[in-house]
Amino acid sequence: MKITKISVYQVDLPLKEGRYSWADGKFVECFDSTVVEISTDAGVTGFGEVCPLGPFYLPAYGPGARTGIAELAPHIMGEDPTAVGRIELIMDRALLGHSYVKSALDMACWDILGKQAGLPVSQLFGGCHGEAVDLYRAISQEDPETMARKILGYRDEGYRKFQLKVGGNPDADIERIRATRKALDGGEVLVADANTGWLMHEAARVIDAVSDLDVYIEQPCKSYEECLTLRRRTARPFILDENIDSLQAFLRAFGDGAVDAINLKISKVGGLSKARRLRDLAVSLGVAMTIEDSWGGDIVTAAIAHLAHSTPARFRFSSTDFNSYVKVSTAEGAPQRVDGKMKAPQGPGLGIAPRRESLGDPVAVYD
Ligand code: MG
């Protein structure tokens, strides 16, 4: 089988809630997503998606994904997409870094391999564990009362895990965490995710002020060194996200005892191939994961579901159903949240079929 054509689509994904806000005044109202379609001489086609969380969350942005795909397309044209490991190597040799750019192409190759094998990607990744995957709901940064009140609606949707967007004014953040924890039941999980937004002294104040609460602290400061210092000063369970952008970064954090859990995002580490490798290592080392991506629509959500559902249940801290946050559906067959959980699609590959009317015409075609 050979790759004969790569079509690239740009899709706007506006948010149902209007705006998603996090640390340091950052927000997004409409996500810029990139969908790739890889065509082959065997008539099998595969789809992948990459959707950065705006241009200022990670070193990634929408037009950058499409520029990078233009750079990579000639290198994988004519190659066998079912040789996913070889495609990964070719992309890493052709373009140093820029991990997120490779994610949609890698995802589309897994979709093709699954379709060719007649198996869902979750099966290629080791098979599903349990009935469904628990989801968390991110709570956009607002005033403390609003954030605590929103818990009630999200709970009606079945969520039992909540990720509070903090990393703002430390005094307001202390109130955000205390008000939200008060609104929760004992069995419900609360993560305070600062998304690198605090300086050391601010993080130290907030973490100390909530030391009597059942709350996880996620990525308080920008650098790994700052986070490690804070981690060593607190008994709160500790999660790193932005700093865990590679297998090497994870191994360093594990070796330093810097994490109780990690946030594994597919495009942050360069695609499903690398995410699956990191996932398997984390399971071997006994580290639980939030398995998700930066953002995305139906295709990313399906990929998350395959990776998460094929992870042993104990190691699934949570996952995200991004397709429920946005107004546009780009594919049929994508996971739908039921009672705060989702399942990996059962069909071969990613188990989804694109909605052509949502993708529109390709913005670039390489053949
Ligand atoms: Mg995070």
Side-chain angles (χ1 to χ4, degrees):
M1 191 189 290
K2 284 187 169 126
I3 296 175
T4 53
K5 188 166 76 167
I6 300 172
S7 307
V8 181
Y9 305 86
Q10 189 278 331
V11 186
D12 284 334
L13 300 175
L15 278 159
K16 285 179 186 167
E17 290 193 357
R19 179 179 284 200
Y20 181 75
S21 306
W22 66 102
D24 200 23
K26 294 172 182 173
F27 67 87
V28 170
E29 292 178 336
C30 183
F31 287 90
D32 178 352
S33 190
T34 300
V35 172
V36 298
E37 175 182 14
I38 295 183
S39 305
T40 65
D41 60 356
V44 183
T45 57
F47 289 84
E49 180 185 13
V50 59
C51 183
L53 179 46
F56 35 47
Y57 168 65
L58 290 170
Y61 67 114
R66 296 184 286 278
T67 302
I69 289 164
E71 184 71 28
L72 287 171
H75 294 275
I76 61 171
M77 199 62 63
E79 295 291 334
D80 180 356
T82 65
V84 181
R86 201 163 71 229
I87 297 281
E88 184 190 357
L89 195 67
I90 291 168
M91 291 198 292
D92 284 345
R93 286 176 64 97
L95 180 65
L96 205 59
H98 301 273
S99 300
Y100 72 109
V101 161
K102 300 161 188 171
S103 189
L105 294 167
D106 176 80
M107 198 180 284
C109 289
W110 279 104
D111 190 29
I112 292 171
L113 176 59
K115 285 171 176 166
Q116 184 71 1
L119 294 169
V121 169
S122 59
Q123 196 73 14
L124 304 178
F125 284 180
C128 289
H129 297 267
E131 281 298 305
V133 171
D134 286 352
L135 299 164
Y136 79 81
R137 174 70 205 199
I139 304 173
S140 178
Q141 190 174 118
E142 295 184 67
D143 63 82
E145 297 72 28
T146 304
M147 292 174 86
R149 196 175 60 243
K150 279 192 165 181
I151 291 275
L152 306 175
Y154 297 144
R155 187 189 274 143
D156 284 345
E157 295 174 338
Y159 294 105
R160 293 292 178 269
K161 300 182 178 191
F162 303 94
Q163 191 194 78
L164 205 60
K165 289 299 170 189
V166 289
N169 174 285
D171 294 305
D173 283 339
I174 292 166
E175 280 186 59
R176 288 181 176 109
I177 296 167
R178 297 202 79 90
T180 310
R181 185 68 258 186
K182 202 172 163 188
L184 293 178
D185 292 335
E188 294 175 323
V189 174
L190 181 63
V191 176
D193 187 358
N195 288 109
T196 76
W198 291 321
L199 295 177
M200 292 271 288
H201 70 100
E202 296 168 330
R205 276 189 63 221
V206 177
I207 295 170
D208 193 53
V210 300
S211 62
D212 60 320
L213 299 182
D214 179 8
V215 59
Y216 291 72
I217 304 297
E218 180 164 329
Q219 193 73 42
C221 296
K222 196 167 184 181
S223 74
Y224 174 73
E225 290 74 16
E226 291 167 298
C227 290
L228 179 60
T229 302
L230 288 158
R231 154 38 165 210
R232 287 175 171 159
R233 284 160 57 174
T234 179
R236 294 307 92 212
F238 208 83
I239 301 171
L240 284 181
D241 179 351
E242 283 88 334
N243 292 148
I244 307 296
D245 58 1
S246 65
L247 193 64
Q248 291 79 359
F250 169 62
L251 281 173
R252 181 184 176 201
F254 179 79
D256 290 342
V259 286
D260 296 304
I262 60 164
N263 186 308
L264 175 59
K265 291 185 162 77
I266 295 168
S267 63
K268 182 179 61 176
V269 298
L272 277 172
S273 296
K274 287 182 169 66
R276 182 242 191 147
R277 204 172 294 131
L278 209 160
R279 184 277 305 265
D280 288 344
L281 188 65
V283 168
S284 300
L285 293 173
V287 179
M289 292 156 279
T290 289
I291 296 175
E292 57 166 351
D293 208 332
S294 299
W295 205 271
D298 283 322
I299 300 171
V300 157
T301 303
I304 292 168
H306 285 285
L307 184 64
H309 210 159
S310 62
T311 301
R314 276 191 78 199
F315 296 93
R316 297 195 298 247
F317 184 69
S318 61
S319 282
T320 320
D321 56 329
F322 286 117
N323 61 349
S324 81
Y325 290 58
V326 298
K327 287 181 182 171
V328 173
S329 169
T330 53
E332 289 177 47
Q336 301 300 317
R337 183 188 65 246
V338 177
D339 201 20
K341 299 172 195 289
M342 70 174 175
K343 297 178 178 184
Q346 297 292 299
L350 292 174
I352 50 97
R355 293 184 200 275
R356 295 286 175 182
E357 69 277 16
S358 299
L359 298 184
D361 294 326
V363 294
V365 176
Y366 308 97
D367 53 13

